[in-house]
Amino acid sequence: MRIVPWCFANVYPVLDLKVPATPLLPNPGVGISMTACIAGIAAQSVVFTARRCKTNRRRLAASKLRPLIGASAISGEAQRESSLIPKKYLLLETDLGNVAMLLRPDSAPLTVEHVCRLVDEGLYNGCYFYRSDFVLQWGLWLPNETEVKNPYPDIAANETDSGTFLSNRPGTVAIAHGIGVNGNSDIFINLQDNDYLDTMSLGFCVFAELDAKSRRVVKDLAEAVVNGLKPVIWQASIESQLQKKEKFPLAVSMQRSYDSFCSQWEDFKSVLVVKPKDENG
């Protein structure tokens, strides 16, 4: 089933959303007792509260430092470490243009590695953006509502608080997941300030940031989904640097190759025309 952050369906019940693949409680088919369910929820609530307190402390510390060193300032040591990591981008070639996202392995190394694995396998090619409200979301779904088979298990850990903390602010990119799981293939771009997602359902891990030049394309994609269209990701790739010239979607490239072949074939075909024999042989 299609995965959406479970909190979206609970906090915004008025929206016509898909039911999360992972329900609020464990699947009753596994024979778990109600006592175990309640104990599990209670334990998760304790962790949720602890993480919320930790996140609030981070925000308080950042707010005190912001007037002095800026909102995006980090320590000199962390800055030196991040500069040693080569930059890589998740690039989506879509119907409406390219969307580039800077990957942040300093924040979520396991998540970045997992997403790169899915991209390298070509699993997102041909899939479409299926959701647009306060996030723009896509996963392994084709426009005909067929799900692409994913051979990989969920990410090993929820890395919301593992590395450099990135909040679910506009332009950040995070992994969608249900309660009790760490997410897998469904990804969303925050279209507005969704910082409550930093702690809800143990946090939605941000692993990338939208390139500034891609914001216009993301806005167009979001509007297209709202209008009932299904914008397609023709090709997803991992790039070490962004090309100055925007890449053409795979379908456009194939069409250009076909048109080029046809024009060349017309010239070549004239050479192959066999003249009919006259009456004398």
Side-chain angles (χ1 to χ4, degrees), residues 34-45:
M34 182 58 69
T35 302
C37 291
I38 296 173
I41 294 175
Q44 193 172 52
S45 298

Side-chain angles (χ1 to χ4, degrees), residues 99-102 134-135 166-174 188-194 206-212 214-215 218:
V99 178
M101 292 153 280
L102 175 63
F134 50 94
V135 299
L166 296 175
S167 180
N168 282 269
R169 300 298 176 90
T172 56
V173 187
F188 62 88
I189 299 173
N190 286 291
L191 301 178
Q192 62 187 41
D193 190 351
N194 299 321
V206 174
F207 69 94
E209 296 174 306
L210 188 65
D211 182 71
S214 301
R215 292 182 182 273
V218 168

Side-chain angles (χ1 to χ4, degrees), residues 3-281:
I3 301 174
V4 299
W6 71 272
C7 63
F8 294 171
N10 286 282
V11 177
Y12 294 85
V14 70
L15 299 177
D16 183 18
L17 304 178
K18 297 287 183 179
V19 177
T22 305
L24 182 61
L25 295 177
N27 190 329
V30 300
I32 189 168
S33 66
M34 182 58 69
T35 302
C37 291
I38 296 173
I41 294 175
Q44 193 172 52
S45 298
V46 172
V47 177
F48 174 83
T49 304
R51 287 199 175 186
R52 177 178 289 277
C53 293
K54 183 177 180 181
T55 301
N56 288 338
R57 287 197 299 270
R58 285 186 176 186
R59 289 181 185 154
L60 179 60
S63 64
K64 292 180 179 179
L65 292 174
R66 195 169 290 124
L68 300 176
I69 58 178
S72 61
I74 58 177
S75 67
E77 182 179 354
Q79 197 169 27
R80 284 192 296 272
E81 290 179 357
S82 62
S83 64
L84 298 176
I85 302 175
K87 289 185 178 182
K88 288 188 176 181
Y89 296 85
L90 168 57
L91 182 66
L92 305 181
E93 301 176 43
T94 78
D95 286 334
L96 303 179
N98 290 354
V99 178
M101 292 153 280
L102 175 63
L103 297 173
R104 293 291 303 270
D106 60 312
S107 177
L110 294 178
T111 305
V112 168
E113 180 183 5
H114 178 84
V115 171
C116 288
R117 188 182 300 119
L118 300 183
V119 171
D120 290 339
E121 289 287 338
L123 299 184
Y124 289 112
N125 297 345
C127 296
Y128 77 104
F129 296 91
Y130 64 79
R131 177 180 185 176
S132 174
D133 36 43
F134 50 94
V135 299
L136 177 66
Q137 189 164 331
W138 73 95
L140 300 182
W141 290 86
L142 302 174
N144 62 1
E145 298 303 326
T146 301
E147 186 176 11
V148 176
K149 185 177 180 181
N150 181 7
Y152 298 104
D154 291 346
I155 303 170
N158 184 332
E159 299 180 289
T160 300
D161 293 320
S162 298
T164 304
F165 177 71
L166 296 175
S167 180
N168 282 269
R169 300 298 176 90
T172 56
V173 187
I175 288 286
H177 64 81
I179 188 170
V181 296
N182 298 324
N184 194 313
S185 58
D186 282 64
I187 300 173
F188 62 88
I189 299 173
N190 286 291
L191 301 178
Q192 62 187 41
D193 190 351
N194 299 321
D195 60 350
Y196 64 92
L197 296 180
D198 298 340
T199 52
M200 182 170 285
S201 187
L202 301 184
F204 290 86
C205 177
V206 174
F207 69 94
E209 296 174 306
L210 188 65
D211 182 71
K213 295 181 180 179
S214 301
R215 292 182 182 273
R216 178 70 239 182
V217 178
V218 168
K219 183 178 180 181
D220 292 342
L221 289 168
E223 291 177 356
V225 176
V226 169
N227 293 327
L229 302 179
K230 296 182 176 182
V232 173
I233 300 170
W234 292 108
Q235 188 169 15
S237 59
I238 304 298
E239 305 289 341
S240 58
Q241 60 182 3
L242 295 179
Q243 302 292 333
K244 293 182 180 179
K245 184 178 180 180
E246 198 174 73
K247 289 186 175 181
F248 289 101
L250 181 60
V252 177
S253 299
M254 293 176 65
Q255 183 64 47
R256 289 194 165 207
S257 298
Y258 176 75
D259 293 341
S260 176
F261 168 77
C262 289
S263 61
Q264 294 177 16
W265 174 248
E266 288 297 329
D267 297 335
F268 184 69
K269 189 167 58 175
S270 61
V271 181
L272 300 179
V273 173
V274 179
K275 294 183 179 180
K277 295 182 179 181
D278 56 22
E279 294 179 355
N280 297 327

